[in-house]
Amino acid sequence: MYKFLKEQYQFSDFQIAQLQYTWKTFSSEFSKLLIMGLVFRNILGRYMFAVIVMLLLRTATGGLHCKKYISCFLVSFTYMFLSLTVLPFVPVNKVFQLILLFICMLCNYYIGPVTSAVHRPLSNGCTKRVKIQAFLVVFFYLVLAYIVPENPYITCGFWVIILHTLQLAAAKILKKEEIYREREAY
């Protein structure tokens, strides 16, 4: 494939490396979602709903990043397991849910984005755009949670937003510590 792209389309080594990274990332993420889909097949609708809410936030604000596939899978699985099967049994008053979603909306805006170490820093314009995207996603979810009667989908989405905000805050703290350690090393 490398030789074909190089000879047929005159791709540079860098362009081929980018394609390899994209393919590796896509196949890794798709396989994790598929495996978890099989695990949560009895509640597939809620799982798909939770994945959509998570992806809308994750693509905007980033969060914790693992270096190994297995650790990434375990973190993602734990995130979904908690959102779908454990935390929905924790009773949270509707008014308190709305207050927490409002807090999450602000936190996602002010904390995010937290990118992985392998990505270059985002431009100011891109940073502003993804902050607004995350803000709007949680805002629309807050309105949805207010309008729609309590149901398993709304509850799972609520916990996805809570867990996403918590892991985003943890990622920000870890990134600051990493930057501090790098400065100390010099």
Side-chain angles (χ1 to χ4, degrees):
M1 183 63 132
Y2 174 83
K3 187 177 179 183
F4 174 76
L5 290 173
K6 193 107 168 134
E7 292 174 1
Q8 190 70 23
Y9 297 103
Q10 290 77 41
F11 276 30
S12 69
D13 291 337
F14 179 70
Q15 290 170 318
I16 292 171
Q18 283 180 313
L19 284 174
Q20 288 172 329
Y21 176 79
T22 301
W23 173 249
K24 183 179 175 184
T25 301
F26 175 78
S27 59
S28 167
E29 295 301 318
F30 183 74
S31 69
K32 286 187 293 188
L33 290 173
L34 187 61
I35 293 167
M36 287 189 290
L38 291 172
V39 171
F40 298 117
R41 67 185 172 277
N42 294 336
I43 52 171
L44 192 58
R46 279 186 274 162
Y47 168 71
M48 296 300 292
F49 183 78
V51 166
I52 290 168
V53 174
M54 180 194 69
L55 287 176
L56 288 171
L57 289 170
R58 184 94 176 156
T59 57
T61 59
L64 288 172
H65 297 279
C66 300
K67 292 183 170 111
K68 303 275 188 209
Y69 178 87
I70 191 68
S71 56
C72 185
F73 175 77
L74 291 173
V75 168
S76 298
F77 179 80
T78 303
Y79 183 104
M80 281 297 155
F81 182 76
L82 289 171
S83 297
L84 295 167
T85 62
V86 175
L87 294 173
F89 290 106
V90 175
V92 181
N93 174 296
K94 183 84 156 189
V95 173
F96 194 55
Q97 277 186 25
L98 298 175
I99 291 168
L100 288 174
L101 286 170
F102 181 77
I103 292 168
C104 288
M105 183 174 60
L106 296 175
C107 288
N108 277 271
Y109 182 83
Y110 287 108
I111 295 172
V114 180
T115 56
S116 118
V118 298
H119 290 104
R120 62 186 172 155
L122 300 175
S123 68
N124 287 339
C126 187
T127 298
K128 189 172 187 172
R129 183 184 59 76
V130 296
K131 283 176 171 278
I132 292 170
Q133 178 184 334
F135 183 89
L136 290 174
V137 166
V138 181
F139 173 76
F140 286 126
Y141 200 86
L142 190 153
V143 171
L144 186 70
Y146 178 74
I147 294 171
V148 175
E150 192 68 31
N151 67 61
Y153 291 89
I154 295 296
T155 302
C156 289
F158 165 76
W159 287 113
V160 166
I161 292 170
I162 297 294
L163 290 178
H164 174 78
T165 304
L166 292 173
Q167 66 85 32
L168 184 64
K172 186 76 162 192
I173 291 166
L174 291 172
K175 193 166 188 171
K176 281 185 178 183
E177 287 178 6
E178 186 177 303
I179 291 169
Y180 179 75
R181 281 194 302 264
E182 287 174 3
R183 288 183 185 159
E184 288 286 311
Y186 292 112

